[in-house]
Amino acid sequence: MKRVKVGLVGCGNISGIYLTNLTNMFKDTVELVAVCDIIKERADQAKEEYGIPKAYYTDADIMADDEIELIVNITPPAEHKTVNMLAMQAGKHAYCEKPLAINRADGEEQIAYARAHNLLLGGAPDTFLGGGLQTCRKLIDEGWIGDLVLVTATMLGHGPESWHPDPEFFYKKGAGPMFDMGPYYLTALTNLMGSVDSVMGSAVISFPERRITSEKHYGEIIEVEVPTRIVGTLNFKSGATGVLITSFDIWSDYSQTPITIYGSKGSLRVPDPNCFGGPIQLLRAGSQEWENVPVVYDYQDNSRGLGVSDLCVALREGRKPRGNCDQTFHVLDLMCAFHEASDQGKQVKLNSGFDRQPLRAL
């Protein structure tokens, strides 16, 4: 296929893996022609290190580049809507890091614009396209664990202030454990089990202040603005039930399986949805032994950018991307609903949903 010419906006902490993979692993589908960052040194360094033809230092300049067909937006969450809209208003398709936006209205505005102007709008996370979760989807779709009954999912840690160079934004609006890590779990769950009908939730700020112990800002205090412990129950449209816990408050030993799905004929231990590979384990009805299941799909190592590549192929093939905006909006809707359910003390019904796209080819 003819490669899609891509511009990347945001050369911060996560950009390295995108730049590496888009210029190597996915070079047959992606032609990265420009990078942009408001910090000139970051953009220049990316241009030099990855052999990218052009560097820009303002959103306006990269959007004015008529060569670019698709903008990859890996700016901070609060900027996602703005950059996506600038891209689409310039006639370009957009692929966004998670989440799609930090509130429903901003997500709905983007989707309406994309549809009105026949543009593709997709987004992260793309780990659900990795070998591990694609294999799990195949097992479920083929009936290995029967009808889905229950799922438990946990993301337990003690926050990023001990290792991230700039951790403050994790505790501001648009972040927290749900908006930061929730998209990985919710994207995996809904791709494996389908859309969600309603939720309940409990959301709490456990510690109003956080002390940074990573080197760059060592000793600085963060004022926490968002809940850091969220427990949500999910009522799937299929009739299955789920429990999702995300927390920055827990001294976890990481011994718990991130996701376990229970069915009428067995149970499935699903790999960490922040990753692309295994392991996968299956427990058959009547057995006491978990069996290791081989991962049968490719992209098992860190393949961030896989969703960008899939959108590029979808653009050339005239199909819907697997990581499309209906999916990313349903995840955004879920995260907002957990917080609302906690605030209101009642069940919240969702108005969104999406059609799961086909598995990748083996």
Side-chain angles (χ1 to χ4, degrees):
M1 60 168 265
K2 181 182 178 184
R3 295 190 298 169
V4 174
K5 294 183 184 294
V6 172
L8 182 144
V9 179
C11 300
N13 197 53
I14 198 175
S15 66
I17 189 62
Y18 271 96
L19 292 164
T20 297
N21 289 347
L22 294 181
T23 56
N24 289 280
M25 188 181 295
F26 304 115
K27 63 183 179 182
D28 291 338
T29 56
V30 175
E31 183 181 355
L32 191 56
V33 299
V35 291
C36 177
D37 198 285
I38 58 173
I39 300 175
K40 183 178 184 298
E41 292 76 16
R42 284 182 178 177
D44 288 342
Q45 181 180 351
K47 176 179 181 291
E48 179 69 22
E49 184 174 349
Y50 296 95
I52 299 165
K54 291 174 277 190
Y56 295 105
Y57 315 115
T58 70
D59 293 340
D61 286 340
I62 195 169
M63 302 308 172
D65 188 331
D66 292 334
E67 183 183 23
I68 296 171
E69 301 172 78
L70 166 68
I71 290 291
V72 175
N73 174 9
I74 53 175
T75 60
E79 302 300 321
H80 287 178
K81 182 242 183 173
T82 298
V83 174
N84 287 345
M85 289 299 298
L86 287 172
M88 292 189 292
Q89 288 164 357
K92 306 180 191 307
H93 309 280
Y95 180 93
C96 181
E97 244 304 325
K98 49 80 183 172
L100 175 64
I102 61 175
N103 60 64
R104 290 191 189 92
D106 285 351
E108 290 168 340
E109 182 180 346
Q110 294 175 64
I111 292 172
Y113 193 94
R115 287 176 176 159
H117 294 84
N118 197 30
L119 294 166
L120 295 184
L121 172 63
D126 53 7
T127 47
F128 79 97
L129 292 171
L133 290 174
Q134 290 285 287
T135 300
C136 290
R137 165 85 180 268
K138 180 176 173 65
L139 289 167
I140 292 170
D141 289 357
E142 291 179 353
W144 283 78
I145 62 171
D147 296 330
L148 302 181
V149 177
L150 175 70
V151 60
T152 58
T154 56
M155 193 295 296
L156 304 177
H158 208 266
E161 61 267 31
S162 66
W163 58 268
H164 196 282
D166 297 292
E168 185 174 8
F169 84 92
F170 286 98
Y171 296 98
K172 302 303 179 183
K173 187 176 180 181
M178 179 57 72
F179 271 74
D180 179 54
M181 293 300 296
Y184 294 105
Y185 286 78
L186 292 168
T187 300
L189 292 179
T190 53
N191 268 277
L192 294 173
M193 303 180 64
S195 299
V196 176
D197 179 71
S198 63
V199 305
M200 295 185 70
S202 173
V204 179
I205 296 176
S206 297
F207 310 109
E209 294 183 344
R210 297 278 182 145
R211 182 175 180 271
I212 300 173
T213 56
S214 57
E215 183 177 354
K216 184 178 177 182
H217 295 283
Y218 185 86
E220 294 181 19
I221 300 298
I222 301 171
E223 301 291 335
V224 178
E225 297 178 358
V226 293
T228 52
R229 173 166 37 100
I230 301 96
V231 179
T233 59
L234 305 92
N235 299 306
F236 289 87
K237 292 182 179 180
S238 67
T241 305
V243 178
L244 171 63
I245 304 172
T246 65
S247 180
F248 284 164
D249 303 334
I250 305 299
W251 293 111
S252 174
D253 60 6
Y254 300 101
S255 62
Q256 290 184 293
T257 302
I259 298 173
T260 304
I261 300 176
Y262 304 91
S264 60
K265 296 181 180 178
S267 302
L268 190 65
R269 287 177 174 167
V270 177
D272 186 343
N274 191 34
C275 303
F276 288 82
I280 303 167
Q281 291 185 311
L282 174 68
L283 180 69
R284 301 174 191 264
S287 174
Q288 301 298 314
E289 299 292 331
W290 288 89
E291 306 170 32
N292 292 321
V293 178
V295 176
V296 298
Y297 284 83
D298 56 3
Y299 297 110
Q300 298 176 37
D301 296 323
N302 192 337
S303 304
R304 293 189 195 277
L306 179 55
V308 176
S309 179
D310 180 77
L311 189 145
C312 290
V313 175
L315 177 61
R316 295 292 186 246
E317 293 181 347
R319 64 166 172 85
K320 198 169 191 175
R322 290 181 173 88
N324 56 71
C325 58
D326 293 332
Q327 172 179 296
T328 56
F329 182 78
H330 188 55
V331 169
L332 173 63
D333 195 11
L334 279 165
M335 295 190 296
C336 293
F338 287 132
H339 289 82
E340 289 172 354
S342 179
D343 292 342
Q344 299 170 13
K346 65 179 184 181
Q347 182 172 290
V348 173
K349 188 172 179 62
L350 280 79
N351 295 318
S352 66
F354 72 102
D355 295 324
R356 296 185 303 161
Q357 297 302 297
L359 285 161
R360 293 193 299 104
L362 278 169

